[in-house]
Amino acid sequence: GDVAVLVPAAGMGVRLGPGGPKALRLLGGQPLLVHAVRRVAAAAGVGCVVVAAPPAEVDAVRALLAGVAPATVVAGGDTRQASVAAALAAVPANFEIILVHDAARALTPPEQVAQVAEAVRAGHDAVIPVLPVVDTIKEVAASGAVVGTVDRSVLRAVQTPQGFRREVLAAAHAAAVDEHTDDAGMVEKLGVTVYCVPGDEAAMKITRPVDLVIAEALLARTLR
Ligand code: CTP
Ligand code: MG
């Protein structure tokens, strides 16, 4: 495989509530990170997985992944962006397609990973999986007064993995001055066109306690 996948997993999971780093929290009895890495490693074309772990958990994460898939584990940083940069620095030079995937999107199907990589291979510099926005979205002033209703038809909710030609991702990280939650946003600032492919509801991000409840139900459905 010519595809390397970076898995930032160093976050604390503050919005999920007490219970330790989010990537190590359990879903169906296994850490979110184990679910995520197993699915990523199973995707067509993937030949390298680099995990950015909480700095205090690097050895524990190595042990955790030993029986799951071959993965390099590095210490993450204070921000997601710093964790991605640390993981990127550990990718061998021969990988030309780099995907960046949140450990928090633990149930992302291997097919979504493969489709993003395929779109990069087909010639797109940067690729993101997206879904339509289902809620009505309003712009609201600090006072609480509605300013207006946004045209939902042009909006998309963005998932991971996000895929890049390696030099595009490296240039975006080298150029970044402020903090971003999303690698494609950094690439957009370079003036590079980012291309969308269809996402999957199973690639939902586990952020709040309710998301863990939904993910447990999704996992039970796929095991049935
Ligand atoms: N992440 C990381 N390094 C950080 C912060 C986040 O590697 N310093 C990772 C998380 O582990 C997660 C992904 O980036 O897999 C998306 O971040 P998010 O969902 O915000 O996770 P947390 O930062 O852990 O959650 P919270 O913001 O609620 O604390
Ligand atoms: Mg966070």
Side-chain angles (χ1 to χ4, degrees):
D2 59 345
V3 179
V5 186
L6 316 182
V7 185
M12 286 301 115
V14 172
R15 288 170 290 177
L16 202 52
K22 182 160 71 180
L24 302 180
R25 299 281 291 267
L26 301 184
L27 173 66
Q30 289 189 311
L32 296 184
L33 181 62
V34 169
H35 287 285
V37 167
R38 186 187 300 120
R39 285 166 178 74
V40 156
V46 172
C48 172
V49 177
V50 182
V51 173
E57 308 289 344
V58 169
D59 289 337
V61 166
R62 266 189 204 123
L64 192 65
L65 295 176
V68 174
T72 301
V73 181
V74 301
D78 288 343
T79 62
R80 182 185 182 280
Q81 191 170 315
S83 294
V84 172
L88 181 59
V91 178
N94 54 310
F95 291 93
E96 285 301 326
I97 297 175
I98 312 274
L99 271 47
V100 187
H101 184 46
D102 292 332
R105 296 187 188 273
L107 300 182
T108 302
E111 293 74 19
Q112 175 156 322
V113 178
Q115 280 160 12
V116 168
E118 196 45 53
V120 177
R121 192 174 291 113
H124 296 288
D125 286 333
V127 176
I128 59 174
V130 303
L131 288 177
V133 172
V134 292
D135 290 315
T136 293
I137 306 287
K138 291 194 190 288
E139 184 182 350
V140 179
S143 67
V146 170
V147 175
T149 303
V150 180
D151 176 11
R152 190 174 64 194
S153 70
V154 300
L155 300 180
R156 300 291 182 271
V158 178
Q159 302 184 327
T160 70
Q162 301 188 343
F164 306 92
R165 263 199 316 116
R166 186 193 188 121
E167 63 187 52
V168 167
L169 182 63
H173 273 266
V177 283
D178 45 1
E179 202 50 44
H180 297 75
T181 56
D182 147 87
D183 298 276
M186 299 166 62
V187 164
E188 288 159 36
K189 290 199 174 159
L190 296 181
V192 172
T193 298
V194 177
Y195 181 75
C196 296
V197 297
D200 189 305
E201 286 174 0
M204 61 171 286
K205 186 154 79 77
I206 297 168
T207 305
R208 302 150 300 174
V210 67
D211 299 319
L212 215 38
V213 176
I214 296 167
E216 291 277 2
L218 286 172
L219 184 64
R221 189 183 68 177
T222 59
L223 294 178
R224 201 169 52 209

